[in-house]
Amino acid sequence: MKRRMLIFFVAIIVGMLVLVIRAYDLQIVRGAEYRIQVQNMFKKLVSIPAPRGEIYDRNGKKLAWNVRKLRLSASPGFNWKRLEYLLKRCPGIDAENITKQLRNGDIVELSLPPSVETRLWSIRGLRVEVTFRRFYRGEAFGHLVGYVNREGKGIAGVEKYYDDLLAGFDGLLMIRAHDGQLIDSIPPIPGEPLRLTIDADLQEYVYDLMREERKPGAAIVMNPKTGEVYALVSYPGYDSNVLSIGVDEAKWRLMSADPRGRFINRAISAAYPPGSAIKPLILLAALYYNDKETRELVIDCKGRYDLKDEEGNLLYSFSDWYPLGHGKTDYIKAMAVSCNVFFYKLGMEIGINAIREMASFAKLDGLTGIDLPGEKEGVIPDPYWKRVHVGEPWYIGDTLLTAIGQGYARLTPLELICFYNLIATHGEFYEPHVAFRENVKPKFVLEFGPVYDDIVRSLVQVTTREGKTPKEHGTAYEIFKDFPLTVAGKTGTAEVWGGRAPHSWFVGFAPAEDPQVSVLVFVENGGYGSQTAAPIARKILARFFKIPETEDEE
């Protein structure tokens, strides 16, 4: 029995010696080696956001770009001494001030060398985010380029429309938790760069012209033969740099309360009565449906159009903008002097259904397909539309008002310039676009033959027809009489309710014989088209064609 007990105790003592020796080996002899192995087992995965694709104008100028930043925040009791130690190794960094801000609960953004950056993740209580701050060229591009939110998602403009292309794919870092050493990584895939058809210098120039008027409006410059947009301005605009970093509720309300509608993209998202700028549509319909009669039609304009019933009783008199009348007027002169009476007559001759059908052929009041979010449709009304939307029958007076771009007629500036592009290209419609495309072809073609030549000829008379009084000279003659290129265009003065000044329009293209560019200017409550919009259009064309303008001309 004693022998068995002795053997048992010896076995216990030997076992304990083995454990002590093994523990000594693990903790003392090879302790450092195993400690490293254990530490290496604790790894941290860190998401690294992909840099967003940069946006450029047609000449390579940056419109939107990124600056990489680290955003630091800390919980109470974080190891600030270790952070301060690491930051002091970086030249130009005020380590003590940064740690002080973090200890006070502030968020700090800074840039650091990669060797220091990865070590920050090992600091207890410190939260590290990799961010890309988005920067923009300026207010002139707000509606066009748009902006991203603080999470980097496109919210408006090109940033929203091409968000998937620009966004890229995030990467991952695998780091050792205790010291921040990089173990492995999956690099982020940057977003694709985007080149626009926009000319940045022209965009800024046009925006400055619109700002000088101090009234809301829009201006568009395009290539009618490709659909490329050289400038697309809505005034007032906004600074995308302010919105991309986030604004508090009070500031957002203040910006949204701007009575001028700062966040409305008037170029594509707002529809207005086009006034006389619609007259080429009426003439196109008349020459298509009633060619011989339209060419032979000559009226004696006395400043008003009397609408009578079948028995000859006067129902209503519709006034011309020039109360003294334009005298003998055919369709060429009617376009040049913008004779309302002639177009009242023309509208009566062809009827609202012909006008509506031609608008449908030309896709005038439908979405143009531009690669920007928020495009709205205008309307060229007809009896069905009025019955559905107004709940009233159609009257003859509605036809007369539609024929001069008043009444219920509403178009966006983009819709209107696209229609003029159709005239400039003799029926070829190119979809408007702000991002470069290859092998552009017309979306559809309206083959109306020599009718386009007649309309272009009449639009040229608007800018070239001489006369001593408004009875005879083109409505834009005084503006373009000494311009070295032939401009085909049309002014528009659209009456509005409430005693406010009319909207001012000019739409056209140049050179008339081989159009290289089209231009639209719209000024909300800007007055006569010949006095406000047309002079701005001339300056834009002069800038585009690099034609020097004298002090007097400006």
Side-chain angles (χ1 to χ4, degrees), residues 44-55:
K44 181 183 292 187
L45 291 177
V46 179
S47 177
I48 303 298
R52 193 170 177 84
E54 296 183 330
I55 301 174

Side-chain angles (χ1 to χ4, degrees), residues 317-422:
S317 283
F318 291 82
S319 299
D320 193 275
W321 71 268
Y322 187 60
L324 299 180
H326 298 281
K328 297 294 184 182
T329 304
D330 62 3
Y331 75 93
I332 295 291
K333 179 182 175 182
M335 188 70 75
V337 301
S338 200
C339 176
N340 285 347
V341 172
F342 185 91
F343 282 91
Y344 290 142
K345 176 70 172 176
L346 214 54
M348 284 291 291
E349 292 289 331
I350 61 175
I352 191 60
N353 290 332
I355 296 172
R356 173 60 264 171
E357 190 170 53
M358 183 55 67
S360 296
F361 286 161
K363 301 293 190 292
L364 177 56
D365 57 346
L367 298 178
T368 67
I370 192 170
D371 48 346
L372 286 173
E375 185 185 8
K376 304 297 183 185
E377 289 183 343
V379 59
I380 300 298
D382 63 5
Y384 176 77
W385 179 93
K386 188 180 180 186
R387 186 167 60 253
V388 170
H389 293 89
V390 183
E392 295 179 0
W394 187 265
Y395 300 108
I396 295 177
D398 292 324
T399 300
L400 300 183
L401 291 175
T402 302
I404 62 165
Q406 295 285 172
Y408 298 107
R410 298 288 186 275
L411 293 174
T412 68
L414 182 62
E415 287 175 329
L416 196 53
I417 194 174
C418 284
F419 174 67
Y420 276 71
N421 289 345
L422 188 78

Side-chain angles (χ1 to χ4, degrees), residues 195-267:
R195 184 183 175 209
L196 303 186
T197 61
I198 299 296
D199 183 317
D201 292 338
L202 182 64
Q203 176 85 7
E204 290 170 334
Y205 177 74
V206 173
Y207 188 82
D208 288 342
L209 290 177
M210 299 301 293
R211 179 162 48 192
E212 288 173 5
E213 290 299 319
R214 299 185 178 181
K215 292 183 178 181
I220 306 173
V221 186
M222 292 183 66
N223 183 338
K225 296 180 178 180
T226 64
E228 290 179 89
V229 178
Y230 295 139
L232 189 145
V233 165
S234 177
Y235 179 81
Y238 56 81
D239 188 351
S240 298
N241 293 296
V242 174
L243 296 176
S244 66
I245 62 175
V247 295
D248 57 35
E249 185 176 351
K251 189 168 184 179
W252 173 257
R253 286 182 177 178
L254 182 64
M255 296 174 71
S256 300
D258 188 334
R260 301 172 301 171
R262 181 176 295 274
F263 294 111
I264 301 172
N265 186 343
R266 287 173 168 81

